[in-house]
């Protein structure tokens, strides 16, 4: 039958051939059997690849022959398995039997046989993918896992044991590239552990007969793992508790060691040092001096000294190192106006940045005119020195300004002088530019220093405080300038410190004994000065009060003033020292040397007046007393 | 030719039939466990599993041996013609089912006996195969070891099947094949190519028969457990 059909086909092709136009026809190309597969070891299918058709319609036929049999059969079913295929149903399939299969391509010109292929059905089994893949999330002690279950392909007869399948599944997270393979053996269920919380997983399963080919992967199953944060929450709770505990311990430690830590981080502003303790003396190695310096004449306060004296507020004056260098360069200049280099000061006295050293120098120069004026006036009232002195006691400070407040005379108490020293920094630059004026100013300042430092009972106010820095010298020289609120040069006796509450550095110009070691050409006797008035330009006009003292060699303790304070109008309030008797008793000059502050006349008669020669002229910077005498001598130069 | 085949078949039937009845081999605990005293008997399921395992292994090794042999000795053009070479499997005379439907119609007893037949018929040829392999100049040791291994395992498989038959079918012990006449005829000094072809056919036939054994046993197992899951 089929051969007849083929013959008819051939004839028809030959009939139509002459009508073709020059196209070259040929035998069909050689087909090739690509593969044969059996899904369940009961049927099988063979596919072939056709060759070139040679330009003519080509038909294909598959012929097979079983082993040990000569009979050739043609493919029973060309259609079930699709194009170019041959399907062998159950009746045509024999297992453990070799099939010899050949495909023939036929066209009008002829036929072409393919190469024969021997197959045995049992060796070409490739099952269908597993079916009904089900994935569920299950929990094992709080930890989730996936349970994957599936069914074998429905065609494969595993129930009777005809086919034994082994399975394999693969899992991957959505978005990743690599699959995680698991071999499941013959079981139809598998558990996947170690899941990521909240992840979405893809699962596929495939199977293979015990001897055969792997099937294709089943369709992907998706599953989303729920978040299992609750399991991790316990960890977070533990971490939080632990960290809180650590924090509490830490806080407690901080609290315990708060002070030392605070000291570490924020070093405290050092307070006043031991009064009367002179570091320089210590360095010099004279223990006698040290101890004597430590001894304060008025301690314990057995005298009738007012207790208010004990409550003096000291204003510490400090000269920074650089200033001292400058002072060394121009020795003459510095003597009067400047305090000896920091020897009299403690390094940690907490002084402010105000550099009264240069300020004073500058002020000295600028205040010459003022000084002259006052000097003249002072000469007139020089005779009234005594009266003035007495008056000072009551007046404390003389005020030219009606706004002045009478300070407490009892002690050279000076309140803070913030306004006084505010302009100080501005003078830092000027002094170098006016060396000449400074010289004169210095001299003037120095001359004033001849005044009785002996009457340095101002120290007494704070017994024991005989430190060098203490402006102990109690002399101050403020060279006021007309540009700024003037600073008086009160003649503080002894060491009267005005210890500014605010951190103001005042370089005290104090210095003590003018004559000794001083190279001031014109050293006048120290003069008392009283504030005449304050003019409209905020200039404090000093009224010189002739002290009657000669060269300031001896201790002079009567006429001096101590700065009481500064009122709100930037007026320097001077106060006469009330400790006269003590001053007189010990006519010593209070001089500030490099490192030794003598408190003679500090209510201790036993204290000898030691005129410590100033080793360097430049050291003679004032002892911290306001020496207006120097200023008065300015015009003479 | 046909007469010879018929005679062979007759001989087969005659030989195999009595083997079912004769008791030639004591198959008791001693045989199985190798110990002389106080052996524990094995359960039927376990024995069956063990037998199946044996059969699986034998098949796998034979498959490897066949492919090895094919690579080593068989020129490529001849591979496709192996089935047409005229060397039929020696066991082709044995009546074997060739389709699933046929097999499902076979009883358990017949399955077991078929397995036994197959096993017993292959013991001898495998021994022969070993001798011929040694004659080859460059036979790989792996091939030789495998064939040796297979032949040893086949013997133990035979023993197991016999015991299984005894247990499952409650039949008497069966005789081994050592006393039977070998059906395998071979030339003493074959030519090289013929030898190769024959050996190759031998290996492939054995591979197929091993698969048959395995399939029968698995079917038997699933029948016993009332349908495998």
């Amino acid at each position: 039958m089929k051969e007849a059909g083929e013959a008819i086909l051939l004839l028809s092709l030959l009939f139509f051939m002459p009508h073709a136009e020059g196209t070259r026809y040929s035998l069909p190309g050689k087909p090739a059997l690509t593969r044969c597969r059996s899904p369940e070891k009961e049927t099988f299918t063979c596919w072939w690849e056709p060759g070139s058709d040679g330009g003519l319609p080509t038909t294909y036929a598959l012929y097979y022959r079983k082993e040990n049999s000569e009979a050739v059969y043609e493919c029973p079913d060309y259609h079930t398995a699709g194009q170019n295929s041959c399907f062998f149903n159950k009746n045509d399939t024999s297992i453990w039997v070799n099939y010899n299969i050949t495909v023939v391509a036929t066209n009008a010109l002829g036929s072409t046989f393919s190469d024969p292929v021997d197959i045995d059905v049992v060796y070409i089994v490739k099952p269908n993918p597993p079916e009904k893949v089900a994935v569920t999330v299950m929990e094992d002690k709080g930890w989730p896992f996936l349970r994957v279950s599936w069914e074998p392909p429905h065609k494969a007869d595993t129930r009777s044991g005809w086919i034994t399948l082994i399975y394999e599944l693969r899992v991957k997270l959505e978005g990743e590239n690599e699959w995680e393979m698991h071999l499941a053996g013959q079981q139809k269920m598998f558990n996947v552990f170690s899941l990521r919380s909240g992840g979405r997983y893809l699962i596929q399963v495939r199977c293979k007969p015990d001897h055969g080919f792997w099937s294709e992967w089943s369709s992907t199953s998706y599953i989303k793992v729920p978040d299992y944060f609750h399991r991790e929450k316990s960890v977070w709770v533990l971490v939080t508790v632990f960290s809180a505990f650590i924090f509490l311990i830490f806080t407690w430690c901080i609290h315990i060691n708060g002070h030392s830590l605070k000291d570490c981080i924020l070093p405290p502003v050092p307070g006043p040092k031991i009064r009367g303790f002179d570091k320089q003396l210590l360095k010099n190695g004279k223990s006698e001096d040290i101890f004597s310096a430590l001894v304060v004449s008025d301690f314990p306060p057995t005298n009738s000294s007012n207790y208010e004296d004990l409550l003096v507020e000291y204003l510490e004056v400090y000269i920074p190192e650089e200033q001292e260098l400058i002072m060394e360069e121009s020795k003459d200049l510095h003597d009067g106006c400047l305090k000896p280099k920091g020897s009299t000061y403690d390094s940690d006295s907490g002084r402010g940045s105000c550099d009264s050293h240069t300020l004073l120098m500058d002020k000295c120069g600028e205040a010459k005119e003022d000084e002259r004026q006052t000097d003249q006036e002072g000469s007139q009232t020089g005779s009234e020195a005594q009266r003035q002195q007495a008056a000072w006691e009551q007046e404390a400070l003389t005020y030219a300004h009606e706004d002045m407040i009478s300070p407490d005379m009892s002690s050279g108490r000076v309140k803070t002088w913030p306004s006084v020293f505010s302009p100080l920094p501005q003078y830092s630059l000027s002094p170098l530019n006016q060396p000449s004026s400074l010289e004169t100013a210095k001299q003037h300042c120095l001359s004033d220093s001849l005044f009785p430092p002996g009457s340095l009972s101002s120290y007494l106010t704070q017994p024991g405080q005989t430190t060098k820095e203490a402006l102990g010298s109690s002399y101050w020289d403020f060279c006021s300038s007309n540009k700024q609120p003037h600073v008086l040069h009160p003649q503080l006796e002894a060491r009267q410190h005005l210890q500014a509450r605010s951190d103001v550095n005042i370089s005290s110009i104090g210095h003590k004994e003018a004559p000794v070691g001083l190279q001031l050409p014109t050293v006048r006797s120290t003069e008392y000065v009283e504030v005449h008035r304050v003019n409209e330009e905020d200039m404090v006009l000093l009224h010189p009060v002739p002290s009657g003292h000669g060269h300031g060699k001896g201790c002079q303790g009567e006429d001096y003033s101590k700065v009481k304070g500064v009122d709100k109008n930037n007026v320097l309030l001077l106060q006469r020292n009330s400790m006269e008797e003590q001053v007189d008793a010990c006519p010593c000059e209070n001089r500030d040397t490099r490192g030794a502050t003598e408190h003679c006349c500090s209510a201790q008669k036993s204290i000898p007046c030691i005129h410590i020669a100033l080793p360097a002229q430049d050291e003679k910077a004032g002892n911290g007393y306001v020496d207006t005498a120097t200023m008065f001598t300015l015009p003479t130069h | 030719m046909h007469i010879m085949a018929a005679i062979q078949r007759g001989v087969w039937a005659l030989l195999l039939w009595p083997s079912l009845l004769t008791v030639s081999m004591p198959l008791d605990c001693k045989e199985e466990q190798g110990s002389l005293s106080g052996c524990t008997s094995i359960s039927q399921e376990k024995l069956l599993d063990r037998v199946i395992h044996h059969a699986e292994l034998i098949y796998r090794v034979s498959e490897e041996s066949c492919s090895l042999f094919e690579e080593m000795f068989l020129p490529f053009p001849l591979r496709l013609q192996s089935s047409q070479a005229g060397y039929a499997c020696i066991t082709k005379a044995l009546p074997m089912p060739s389709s699933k439907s046929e097999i499902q119609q076979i009883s358990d007893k017949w399955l077991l006996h078929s397995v036994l037949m197959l096993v017993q018929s292959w013991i001898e040829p495998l021994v022969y195969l070993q001798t011929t392999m040694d004659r080859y100049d460059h036979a790989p040791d792996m091939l030789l070891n495998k064939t040796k291994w297979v032949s040893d395992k086949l013997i133990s498989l035979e023993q197991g099947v016999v015991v299984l038959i005894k247990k499952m079918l409650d039949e008497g012990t069966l005789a081994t094949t050592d006393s039977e006449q070998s059906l395998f005829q071979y030339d003493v000094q074959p030519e090289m190519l013929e030898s190769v072809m024959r050996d190759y056919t031998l290996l492939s036939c054995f591979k197929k028969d091993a698969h048959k054994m395995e399939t029968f046993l698995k079917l038997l197992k699933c029948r016993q457990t009332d349908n495998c899951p």
Side-chain angles (χ1 to χ4, degrees), chain B residues 176-222:
Chain B
T176 56
T177 57
D178 48 8
S179 61
E180 293 173 4
Q181 185 179 7
S182 171
L183 296 172
F184 188 66
Q185 300 172 357
Y186 53 88
D187 296 335
V188 178
Q189 295 276 347
E191 288 183 354
M192 189 59 188
L193 186 61
E194 285 184 6
S195 176
V196 166
M197 289 303 297
R198 189 169 55 210
D199 291 342
Y200 179 70
T201 308
L202 207 65
L203 275 172
S204 48
C205 286
F206 176 70
K207 183 172 88 171
K208 196 173 294 187
D209 287 344
H211 192 270
K212 282 184 199 171
M213 287 183 252
E214 187 186 338
T215 306
F216 290 166
L217 288 167
K218 284 182 178 174
L219 278 168
L220 190 66
K221 180 185 170 160
C222 287

Side-chain angles (χ1 to χ4, degrees), chain A residues 228-339:
Chain A
Y228 51 96
F229 181 72
H230 72 279
R231 177 60 57 165
E232 299 173 348
K233 192 161 66 173
S234 64
V235 176
W236 283 111
V237 168
L238 204 67
V239 169
T240 308
V241 168
F242 190 67
S243 56
F245 184 63
I246 295 284
F247 179 71
L248 280 174
I249 291 181
F250 185 67
T251 309
W252 182 73
C253 285
I254 293 284
H255 180 258
I256 293 293
N257 300 330
H259 293 292
S260 59
L261 271 179
K262 201 164 61 173
D263 291 346
C264 240
I265 297 169
L266 302 169
V269 175
K273 309 290 281 191
I274 302 171
R275 273 191 231 119
F277 183 72
D278 197 346
K279 251 202 309 195
Q280 207 54 35
L281 272 184
L282 185 65
K283 288 179 186 175
N284 294 339
K286 298 177 183 178
S287 59
E288 297 173 359
D289 301 342
I290 299 164
F291 294 135
S292 62
L294 284 171
V295 176
V296 182
S297 62
D298 62 341
F299 185 81
T302 56
N303 309 344
S304 62
S305 60
N306 297 333
Y307 283 100
E308 292 178 352
D309 290 337
L310 301 174
L311 303 176
V312 71
E313 300 171 356
Y314 284 94
L315 186 62
E316 294 181 342
V317 179
Y318 165 70
I319 295 182
E321 293 291 335
E322 320 137 22
Q323 301 300 334
E324 293 163 4
L325 290 175
I326 296 171
M327 289 160 57
E328 290 181 358
E329 292 175 1
S330 55
K331 301 175 183 178
D332 301 338
L333 301 174
H334 298 275
D335 291 342
C337 298
L338 309 173
K339 206 169 174 197

Side-chain angles (χ1 to χ4, degrees), chain B residues 71-91:
Chain B
E71 288 174 21
M72 286 292 298
F73 299 108
L74 213 62
F76 189 77
L78 292 177
R79 289 179 191 178
L80 301 175
Q81 301 173 13
S82 60
S83 63
Q84 295 174 356
Y87 295 100
C89 288
I90 53 173
T91 55

Side-chain angles (χ1 to χ4, degrees), chain A residues 95 100 120 157 159 210, chain B residues 80 84 98 100 208 218 228:
Chain A
I95 50 174
N100 189 299
D120 194 335
D157 182 12
R159 295 187 69 81
D210 43 8
Chain B
L80 301 175
Q84 295 174 356
S98 59
K100 181 191 170 186
K208 196 173 294 187
K218 284 182 178 174
C228 298

Side-chain angles (χ1 to χ4, degrees), chain B residues 153-172:
Chain B
K153 280 299 176 198
L154 208 61
I155 296 168
S156 56
L157 179 67
E158 184 207 9
Q159 292 175 351
V161 172
V162 166
V163 172
L164 195 62
I165 289 172
K166 183 181 166 197
K167 278 180 177 283
M168 286 174 67
L169 306 176
D170 293 330
E171 295 178 3

Side-chain angles (χ1 to χ4, degrees), chain A residues 134 136 138 145-151 167 169 183-192 205:
Chain A
T136 55
M138 302 183 71
F145 64 94
L146 293 179
R147 170 155 290 182
V148 191
S149 62
W150 56 86
E151 295 285 324
Y167 302 94
L169 67 97
L183 194 65
Q186 294 185 22
Q187 60 197 31
K188 298 182 183 56
M189 178 264 296
F190 193 79
N191 297 327
V192 180
V205 192

